[in-house]
């Protein structure tokens, strides 16, 4: 996705319910997680090529990785404290176990996009992949691709990428963590919280670069 930032005097949208506050707090916890490796940690980039988290460098966001083979999903069956302990220990399996044979699994511990959204929503007891969102209790599709206006969006809505040009992935989900308006009250930018290579992060999109690519889901 192309992100083109412009200079606006923007106002954030504040959560109006305790549920929204809880969801956004969990999303922030994941995307603001900071770690400094004491050894090299294998990871991947968007081209699925091997790269590394380097020792002594501070990184932000839980590492992106699919851990189907070792059952080490951060936020599901391992905690952030467990992840932090592994990062602090150069003899841990996070450094030593070879995961390079798995496209999304370079790091022994990790979090993929749907795991991040489910963790934020408080759905960490059962796994759902990006093709199963309507199977989540309480989940509904708000608007299909290309049939919504940005004014229809709410905080904590789930965005599903139906098509993703110029990437190798056509399945991705992200959480709306902010909707920003200019001095006239017009929505001009949307912030999403997402897990993507190499770590979980928050990104802002201008409206014109944003709304054509997604279906919207809501719990």
């Amino acid at each position: 996705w192309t992100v083109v930032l412009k200079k606006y005097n923007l106002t954030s949208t504040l959560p109006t319910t305790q549920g929204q506050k809880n969801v956004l707090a969990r999303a922030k916890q994941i995307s603001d997680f900071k770690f400094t490796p004491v050894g090299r940690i294998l990871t991947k980039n968007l081209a699925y090529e091997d790269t590394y988290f380097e020792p002594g460098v501070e990184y932000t966001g839980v590492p992106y990785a699919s851990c189907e083979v070792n059952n080490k999903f951060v936020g599901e069956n391992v905690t952030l404290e467990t992840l932090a302990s592994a990062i602090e220990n150069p003899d841990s399996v996070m450094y030593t176990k070879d995961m390079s044979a798995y496209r999304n699994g370079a790091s022994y511990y990790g979090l993929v996009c749907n795991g991040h959204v489910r963790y934020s929503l408080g759905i960490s007891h059962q796994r759902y992949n990006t093709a199963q969102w309507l199977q989540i209790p309480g989940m509904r599709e708000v608007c299909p691709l290309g049939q919504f206006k940005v004014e229809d969006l709410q905080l904590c809505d789930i965005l599903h990428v139906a098509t993703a040009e110029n990437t190798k992935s056509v399945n991705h989900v992200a959480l709306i963590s902010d909707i920003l308006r200019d001095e006239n009250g017009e929505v001009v930018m949307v912030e999403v919280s997402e897990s993507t290579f190499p770590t979980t992060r928050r990104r802002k999109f201008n409206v014109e670069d944003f709304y054509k690519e997604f279906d919207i889901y809501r719990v």
Side-chain angles (χ1 to χ4, degrees), residues 56-128:
V57 178
E58 184 180 76
Y59 298 91
T60 301
V62 170
Y64 181 98
S66 177
C67 301
E68 293 285 356
V69 295
N70 53 48
N71 214 33
K72 299 295 183 182
F73 288 91
V74 174
E76 294 187 15
N77 44 14
V78 296
T79 64
L80 288 177
E81 289 80 8
T82 299
L83 172 63
S85 298
I87 289 170
E88 292 175 350
N89 177 10
D91 297 320
S92 74
V93 292
M94 186 163 189
Y95 297 105
T96 59
K97 189 174 181 67
D98 182 6
M99 300 288 291
S100 59
Y102 301 94
R103 189 183 73 168
N104 287 0
S107 298
Y108 189 63
Y109 295 86
L111 191 66
V112 291
C113 63
N114 63 75
H116 172 43
V117 173
R118 285 186 287 107
Y119 176 82
S120 301
L121 294 173
I123 308 170
S124 57
H125 59 283
Q126 186 172 350
R127 293 178 190 161
Y128 297 87

Side-chain angles (χ1 to χ4, degrees), residues 144-148 162-163 207-215:
L145 178 68
Q147 296 185 28
F148 70 91
T163 58
V207 169
E208 58 266 27
D209 298 321
F210 171 79
Y211 73 94
K212 296 179 181 178
E213 298 188 16
F214 298 99
D215 298 321

Side-chain angles (χ1 to χ4, degrees), residues 41-53 59 63-66 99-100 102-107 166-169 195-199 201 203:
I41 303 176
L42 181 65
T43 182
K44 302 279 187 181
N45 58 31
L46 284 171
Y48 303 119
E49 297 168 343
D50 290 351
T51 54
Y52 293 89
F53 295 120
Y59 298 91
Y64 181 98
S66 177
M99 300 288 291
S100 59
Y102 301 94
R103 189 183 73 168
N104 287 0
S107 298
N166 302 320
T167 73
K168 293 185 178 181
S169 174
S195 282
T196 185
F197 297 97
T199 61
R201 55 185 167 174
R203 292 196 287 175

